[in-house]
């Protein structure tokens, strides 16, 4: 099987960097910091921009179809442009109200979580409030734990 010839030498960037990224010796994965050919870099930006434009076009066409469908439910006595405008305004108010309720719910949740966190961090370690503090001398701190345990056990016999 014959080996495929690689692209032209690096002297002519336009000749060595066609838009097909597999044949370009300068092109590496977009996540690396290595330099890319200007044509490939421009095509990546253009591809990303065209995806955004396609997404916006899809959202707008879907919204227009939805407005047309819902405006068909409006009685025929209402002119179509007025019906479409009314449906669009009511739909926008509904969406904004829904977004407002979701954001309000998250804000309330985060405030309650913050109050709970504050309460737990401030009052979480107060379990020994009913016990009197023990006065210990420095000689007692040098005792081993086994003798301390025996002393406590002897106290409650």
């Amino acid at each position: 099987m014959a080996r495929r010839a690689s692209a032209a030498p690096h002297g002519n960037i336009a000749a060595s960097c066609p838009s097909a990224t597999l044949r370009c010796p300068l092109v590496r994965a977009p996540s690396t910091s290595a330099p890319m050919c200007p044509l490939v870099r421009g095509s990546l930006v253009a591809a990303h921009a065209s995806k955004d434009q396609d997404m916006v076009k899809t959202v707008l066409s879907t919204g227009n179809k939805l407005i047309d469908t819902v405006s068909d439910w409006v009685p025929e006595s209402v002119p179509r442009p007025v019906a479409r405008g009314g449906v669009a305004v009511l739909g926008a108010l509904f969406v904004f109200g829904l977004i407002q309720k979701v954001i309000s719910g998250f804000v309330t949740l985060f405030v309650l979580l913050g109050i709970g966190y504050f309460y737990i961090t401030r009052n979480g370690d107060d379990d020994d409030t009913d016990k009197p503090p023990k006065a210990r001398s420095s000689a007692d701190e040098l005792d081993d734990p086994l003798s301390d345990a025996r002393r406590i056990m002897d106290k409650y016999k």
Side-chain angles (χ1 to χ4, degrees), residues 6 23 35 38 47 66 81 92 95 101 119-120 126-127 141 143 151 154:
S6 63
R23 294 184 295 179
L66 183 64
V95 168
K101 289 185 186 303
Y119 179 76
I120 288 171
D126 291 342
D127 294 337
E141 292 176 7
D143 291 342
R151 184 181 49 83
D154 289 339

Side-chain angles (χ1 to χ4, degrees), residues 57-138:
K57 286 179 185 178
T58 303
V59 168
L60 289 177
S61 68
T62 304
N64 281 334
K65 289 177 186 177
L66 183 64
I67 289 173
D68 287 338
T69 303
V70 175
S71 66
D72 288 341
W73 296 346
V74 177
E76 293 293 325
S77 60
V78 179
R80 290 297 97 192
V82 173
R84 292 190 73 216
V87 166
V89 167
L90 288 176
L93 288 174
F94 176 76
V95 168
F96 285 135
L98 189 65
I99 290 172
Q100 178 186 4
K101 289 185 186 303
V102 168
I103 290 174
S104 174
F106 279 119
V107 167
T108 304
L109 178 70
F110 287 133
V111 165
L112 290 176
L113 286 174
I115 290 171
Y117 177 76
F118 181 75
Y119 179 76
I120 288 171
T121 57
R122 291 290 181 183
N123 300 328
D125 295 332
D126 291 342
D127 294 337
D128 57 351
T129 55
D130 57 345
K131 299 176 186 174
K134 296 180 182 178
R136 300 191 77 171
S137 66
S138 62

